[in-house]
Amino acid sequence: MTLPPAQPRLRPVRHDVVRLDNIPWFVRGVACGDAMATETDGEGVHWAGEVVRRSENCTVRLIVFRDGGSRDARQSVLDAFQELGVDGEGMERFGMIALDVPPTADLAKVRHLLDHGVAEEWWDVEEGCVTSEWRAAGTS
């Protein structure tokens, strides 16, 4: 299957660094708000390089099983996580949700809700970009 091209929104920080917002769900190793170094090649194309400042946000993806991953099911999941200070977006084509978990969210409660949903078979979880604080919240 060929995925449609998705472009993150880029916010210039300085001429050679951009902040990544609206990260596509399939990008690995970067989170919303991370600042990346850029390089320009001989043709003027900008390429992302290393992360120069982490946002400390975590990226978590859910495949929603409840009600066949319907729009209403995805929205109810987004609403539940929003109450915990987590933003996200649903992707109808894939029956998925991408969550952007900021460091200010109650990570233990977010992890508990994620684990509960897996146990109830409402969704499956894949961690994209996580922090040591996120990992520690899962062991408490």
Side-chain angles (χ1 to χ4, degrees):
M1 166 175 37
T2 302
L3 297 175
Q7 297 295 320
R9 286 193 302 267
L10 304 175
R11 183 179 307 165
V13 175
R14 47 179 222 246
H15 80 282
D16 62 341
V17 175
V18 294
R19 178 184 150 154
L20 302 176
D21 291 326
N22 192 33
I23 302 300
W25 60 269
F26 52 84
V27 172
R28 306 273 192 255
V30 273
C32 184
D34 285 354
M36 307 271 306
T38 61
E39 297 178 14
T40 306
D41 67 16
E43 297 177 7
V45 176
H46 299 282
W47 295 92
E50 67 182 273
V51 175
V52 296
R53 187 180 69 244
R54 294 259 179 219
S55 65
E56 300 305 317
N57 290 356
C58 299
T59 303
V60 179
R61 292 172 285 278
L62 305 176
I63 298 175
V64 179
F65 302 136
R66 195 175 70 197
D67 297 333
S70 70
R71 183 179 192 280
D72 289 341
R74 290 191 318 275
Q75 188 59 54
S76 69
V77 173
L78 287 169
D79 292 345
F81 281 98
Q82 190 171 36
E83 290 180 17
L84 299 175
V86 175
D87 288 326
E89 67 175 315
M91 288 147 286
E92 183 172 355
R93 180 175 179 185
F94 302 103
M96 291 181 68
I97 293 172
L99 298 174
D100 179 34
V101 184
T104 55
D106 185 331
L107 301 181
K109 286 183 180 179
V110 173
R111 297 287 304 245
H112 178 75
L113 180 55
L114 286 170
D115 293 344
H116 180 73
V118 169
E120 294 293 325
E121 298 183 355
W122 294 339
W123 54 66
D124 194 19
V125 175
E126 178 187 60
E127 296 176 342
C129 182
V130 297
T131 62
S132 57
E133 291 80 5
W134 174 260
R135 286 185 198 92
T139 60
S140 52

